Amino acid sequence: MGKPVRKKLVPIVLSMIVLVSTFFSWPVTSLAVEETSSKAILASELGKTTPSGIPISELEGFVDNYVKDYIGKTTSGAAIVVLKDNQIVLSKGYGDANIEKDIPVDTRKTVFEWGSITKLFVWTSVMQLVEQGKIDLNEDIRTYLPEGFLTKLKYDSPITMLDLMHHTAGFEDYIFDLGYSSPDKVKSLEEGLKLAEPVQVYKPGEVVAYSNFSTSLAAYIVELLTGQEFYQYTSEHIFSKIDSKNASIHPKLSDNKKLLENKATGYKLNGPSQFIESNDFYVSMYPSGAINGTAEDLAKFASALMLKEEDSSPLFQKKETLDEFLTQSYSANENILGNAHGFWEYDGRKRGLTHGGNTEAFSSNLHIVPEENFAVIILTNQSGEMDICYGLTKELVGEESVSVAASNENMPDASELEGTYTSARRAYHGFLNIYYELIPLKITAVNDREIQLGMSGLSANYIQTSPYVYKKIKGHTLFDAMEAIYFHVENGKVTQISAPISDYLPVSTGKSLPFLIMYLILAVLSVSYLIVSPLILLFHGIRQRRKKHPASLLQRWNSILILTGTAIVINNFILIARMLIDNLRAYSEIAAHIIINYGLTASGVISIVFMLVKGRKTELTKLQKFYYGLSIIMFFILVFLLIVWQFYR
């Protein structure tokens, strides 16, 4: 889920969720679950292939061979289910659900966190209410919300339900109070939204910036319109309609505690084949990523989205509603795919619809190809897993062949696009904004038609297929979520890069690499001085006591200033360490550090005032003037850096 993307090296990864309504029974061509191995392929499946061309009869062998490079090495376990024509043609668990207890993964039994795939259930519920005439996708959402519910809006422009679906409502990324390691901290959806409301930093409809808040806000609107808690609505209008008995969206799993008995243990990778057990994950804004369930239960949801002409939908009263749901609703350019009412479109051999999910220690991917009636469901109990979730999916659904435009076509030169960019999905307020400055997207021209994208030491190459549209031709799996990008150019300068999950914006001058280096140098100088100086003060104080020379008033104020600066450094080191150890924190847990910063800074300023007043009345040597002046300068540098990086917010 939008488990804070700051955990991943890249703010790309991604998630969204579908919800359902109506009271129709399971379609005639229901999902077959009697056999869960491709060894039991029906005769009717022989001769059929995946969209990429792999024969269904060879599917299990292909998947077995693919995952062996990752299971037990970079990934603890994975549950993989493949559907073709509403039939399971592969359902197989790989690796361990619990390493210590040697419990293998079982696609029918093992429970995983689905992460942001949960968002698709929100959008399903929204489309159900659209079908019932209760929601207009183009209406300002404030007409559905209590007056004054949103308090941090910067623009008067309406925010529509489509903006929430497309992640174009303009909200910054706010990560506090998103996830908790204890269910006791979970609050109601309404309280969670109020507690974690982000500032609106973009004009609605103009910038894609992935937002957990937007999805949960849409779910809250569903609550208001139906009079049901969202988890109750989901259970009644989605899970029951698709006969899902081993999945729950309840933030504490209180409605199906049996799932806890079969839940996989989540892991983080600490080195090759070295796995560390991770914290549990609970959220107040649970509609953005709290579903726990098995792979075959998620397969039932995927199957309900792909119907044959003669079938009716268990989720919608009209087939037209499902058709609309899966139709493109947003794209930044006619030559690239975009968003389909909350699904991300994928340009494979055939058009796909997909959504991934990430929590503290689980990664997942759901990919459907409606035209082929084909789906891939992959759930892992591994933090930040990409090679199986996205790499295997790509192998099964195939990639569109990238055709380079004719050489005589008038195409912009790639050098025009070179520069450094930062994700639009980012925090603008508070000290965590630093993180996003440390993982910029670097673009360099390979030749006049080809560019290379670089981030966190990883890279991928893209070729220009139409003016300012580039498609990936090779590179790291990390960039698979950005298979096609579009550059907005005005007067020869890039103003925005449109990409799935999050757009990218030019790095401001004040946050460019030269400035970052300058800030780093200043930080090293200031922190080093304030860490070493107390030791010098201690040594000097001992000498003065031995010689029975009491410290002057000016010396004492200087000592207070230095120790105050040292305390500020230690306070913020502890703050950073606490966030690194466990980033699932409420803002209330770190607010004390911000308050301490204010108090210590005030103490330091008072010390400086007294030093300046006393210094004017005291004869000082040049060395003393330099020493006291240096203390004041280093303290002000520290305060300046804390202001720049918003450690007072």
Side-chain angles (χ1 to χ4, degrees):
M1 134 179 195
K3 160 151 192 348
V5 145
R6 60 178 199 279
K7 278 227 60 138
K8 319 292 166 203
L9 288 176
V10 172
I12 356 191
V13 107
L14 17 174
S15 333
M16 284 178 96
I17 320 167
V18 185
L19 221 44
V20 223
S21 144
T22 49
F23 307 93
F24 276 86
S25 59
W26 186 250
V28 177
T29 312
S30 61
L31 178 62
V33 295
E34 289 78 10
E35 298 292 348
T36 59
S37 170
S38 60
K39 294 178 181 177
I41 294 174
L42 302 175
S44 59
E45 302 301 323
L46 297 176
K48 294 184 178 181
T49 68
T50 69
S52 63
I54 300 169
I56 297 299
S57 59
E58 300 174 11
L59 179 60
E60 184 174 14
F62 179 89
V63 174
D64 288 350
N65 186 61
Y66 182 93
V67 302
K68 70 180 182 181
D69 291 334
Y70 306 105
I71 296 297
K73 301 173 183 176
T74 62
T75 304
S76 170
I80 301 172
V81 179
V82 179
L83 304 178
K84 176 64 177 176
D85 296 333
N86 296 92
Q87 300 288 327
I88 289 180
V89 293
L90 173 69
S91 181
K92 192 168 182 178
Y94 296 88
D96 293 316
N98 186 296
I99 297 174
E100 292 74 15
K101 297 180 180 179
D102 195 27
I103 300 174
V105 171
D106 185 319
T107 55
R108 284 183 174 181
K109 183 179 179 180
T110 306
V111 173
F112 294 82
E113 293 174 3
W114 294 359
S116 285
I117 290 176
T118 308
K119 291 181 173 68
L120 295 175
F121 289 76
V122 176
W123 307 131
T124 301
S125 66
V126 167
M127 292 305 296
Q128 290 176 336
L129 297 186
V130 168
E131 184 177 67
Q132 297 169 26
K134 295 180 179 179
I135 288 181
D136 182 340
L137 294 177
N138 294 294
E139 179 67 60
D140 191 331
I141 60 170
R142 282 171 285 190
T143 62
Y144 305 116
L145 294 169
E147 186 175 353
F149 186 82
L150 298 175
T151 63
K152 299 181 180 181
L153 298 182
K154 180 180 179 180
Y155 299 93
D156 293 329
S157 305
I159 301 172
T160 67
M161 186 61 71
L162 283 174
D163 285 324
L164 299 185
M165 287 176 156
H166 303 152
H167 300 269
T168 55
F171 297 118
E172 70 171 328
D173 203 24
Y174 183 85
I175 57 86
F176 291 110
D177 296 291
L178 175 62
Y180 305 111
S181 55
S182 169
D184 298 333
K185 297 179 181 179
V186 173
K187 299 172 177 60
S188 69
L189 177 55
E190 179 179 0
E191 289 178 294
L193 288 167
K194 290 180 177 179
L195 195 61
E197 181 184 355
V199 176
Q200 186 186 47
V201 293
Y202 309 114
K203 187 175 181 180
E206 294 189 353
V207 177
V208 173
Y210 190 81
S211 172
N212 290 304
F213 180 83
S214 290
T215 308
S216 294
L217 185 61
Y220 179 59
I221 291 173
V222 172
E223 283 193 350
L224 293 174
L225 294 176
T226 63
Q228 290 182 287
E229 296 280 351
F230 188 71
Y231 65 83
Q232 294 173 330
Y233 181 93
T234 307
S235 177
E236 180 180 343
H237 297 281
I238 300 180
F239 289 138
S240 66
K241 299 299 178 181
I242 61 176
D243 194 30
S244 172
K245 295 181 175 63
N246 296 303
S248 170
I249 194 177
H250 193 285
K252 301 180 183 181
L253 291 182
S254 299
D255 62 342
N256 195 345
K257 293 186 178 181
K258 182 183 68 174
L259 298 182
L260 290 172
E261 300 173 7
N262 296 319
K263 185 171 179 178
T265 301
Y267 295 97
K268 297 178 183 178
L269 190 65
N270 193 42
S273 300
Q274 296 180 15
F275 303 96
I276 300 177
E277 186 174 334
S278 183
N279 296 324
D280 291 329
F281 184 68
Y282 301 92
V283 283
S284 297
M285 294 197 298
Y286 65 92
S288 287
I291 292 183
N292 283 257
T294 69
E296 290 202 358
D297 275 64
L298 183 53
K300 292 179 179 180
F301 175 70
S303 183
L305 299 174
M306 301 182 299
L307 304 177
K308 296 181 179 179
E309 289 298 327
E310 66 274 14
D311 292 336
S312 60
S313 170
L315 303 176
F316 303 104
Q317 296 176 358
K318 303 174 184 176
K319 185 176 183 300
E320 291 76 15
T321 306
L322 177 59
D323 292 339
E324 180 185 1
F325 187 19
L326 304 183
T327 299
Q328 184 183 90
S329 53
Y330 172 84
S331 179
N333 181 276
E334 61 181 3
N335 293 311
I336 63 173
L337 295 179
N339 192 292
H341 300 90
F343 277 97
W344 300 107
E345 295 183 296
Y346 182 85
D347 208 0
R349 293 280 179 89
K350 298 290 177 65
R351 172 180 175 266
L353 297 169
T354 185
H355 209 294
N358 289 274
T359 63
E360 181 72 2
F362 290 79
S363 304
S364 57
N365 193 25
L366 165 67
H367 191 113
I368 64 174
V369 185
E371 186 179 342
E372 293 275 317
N373 206 317
F374 182 86
V376 181
I377 295 92
I378 299 175
L379 304 178
T380 76
N381 56 337
Q382 187 66 49
S383 170
E385 204 289 318
M386 299 189 74
D387 293 303
I388 298 178
C389 284
Y390 298 99
L392 176 59
T393 298
K394 184 169 64 175
E395 293 292 332
L396 299 182
V397 301
E399 295 181 273
E400 183 197 35
S401 56
V402 178
S403 58
V404 182
S407 58
N408 59 357
E409 185 176 346
N410 184 24
M411 301 281 278
D413 195 290
S415 61
E416 186 178 356
L417 312 176
E418 291 188 318
T420 305
Y421 304 86
T422 186
S423 173
R425 183 197 179 181
R426 56 164 300 160
Y428 276 85
H429 301 88
F431 65 90
L432 286 175
N433 78 92
I434 298 176
Y435 169 79
Y436 301 87
E437 307 299 343
L438 299 178
I439 50 171
L441 177 68
K442 179 73 173 179
I443 294 182
T444 54
V446 177
N447 55 51
D448 60 347
R449 296 283 185 88
E450 186 177 342
I451 60 174
Q452 184 176 84
L453 275 62
M455 181 183 291
S456 303
L458 306 174
S459 64
N461 286 38
Y462 289 68
I463 198 77
Q464 188 170 200
T465 57
S466 60
Y468 297 118
V469 172
Y470 282 76
K471 295 189 177 181
K472 182 185 174 187
I473 53 174
K474 63 180 180 179
H476 195 273
T477 311
L478 179 70
F479 296 89
D480 281 356
M482 300 171 63
E483 57 174 348
I485 56 179
Y486 169 64
F487 291 83
H488 302 253
V489 178
E490 294 180 8
N491 300 321
K493 293 187 177 296
V494 177
T495 60
Q496 182 176 336
I497 303 174
S498 288
I501 315 305
S502 175
D503 289 353
Y504 282 79
L505 305 172
V507 171
S508 61
T509 303
K511 300 293 178 68
S512 60
L513 183 60
F515 276 85
L516 292 178
I517 294 174
M518 180 189 73
Y519 293 147
L520 177 61
I521 293 173
L522 290 175
V524 170
L525 290 174
S526 176
V527 170
S528 298
Y529 180 85
L530 293 170
I531 292 296
V532 173
S533 290
L535 300 177
I536 297 175
L537 288 175
L538 178 62
F539 176 76
H540 185 64
I542 293 173
R543 287 186 60 189
Q544 284 187 313
R545 283 190 177 186
R546 287 178 177 176
K547 295 181 178 181
K548 297 182 179 180
H549 289 164
S552 68
L553 189 59
L554 190 58
Q555 287 177 321
R556 291 175 182 174
W557 281 115
N558 180 62
S559 297
I560 292 174
L561 175 63
I562 289 174
L563 293 176
T564 299
T566 304
I568 292 176
V569 171
I570 293 173
N571 177 55
N572 288 286
F573 276 166
I574 293 173
L575 169 59
I576 294 170
R578 291 184 68 198
M579 293 301 300
L580 291 175
I581 293 170
D582 181 8
N583 63 338
L584 299 180
R585 294 190 180 276
Y587 178 74
S588 59
E589 293 183 64
I590 59 95
H593 293 282
I594 307 300
I595 296 172
I596 290 172
N597 280 343
Y598 276 105
L600 291 174
T601 301
S603 176
V605 171
I606 292 172
S607 300
I608 291 172
V609 171
F610 278 100
M611 286 177 66
L612 293 176
V613 171
K614 186 64 178 176
R616 288 181 178 181
K617 300 177 182 179
T618 306
E619 286 191 20
L620 301 172
T621 65
K622 289 183 179 180
L623 182 60
Q624 287 175 321
K625 288 180 179 179
F626 174 78
Y627 176 50
Y628 295 144
L630 185 61
S631 296
I632 293 172
I633 290 172
M634 290 302 170
F635 183 84
F636 275 131
I637 287 176
L638 176 64
V639 172
F640 166 75
L641 293 173
L642 292 178
I643 292 173
V644 169
W645 297 117
Q646 303 185 46
F647 276 82
Y648 292 98
R649 300 187 64 166

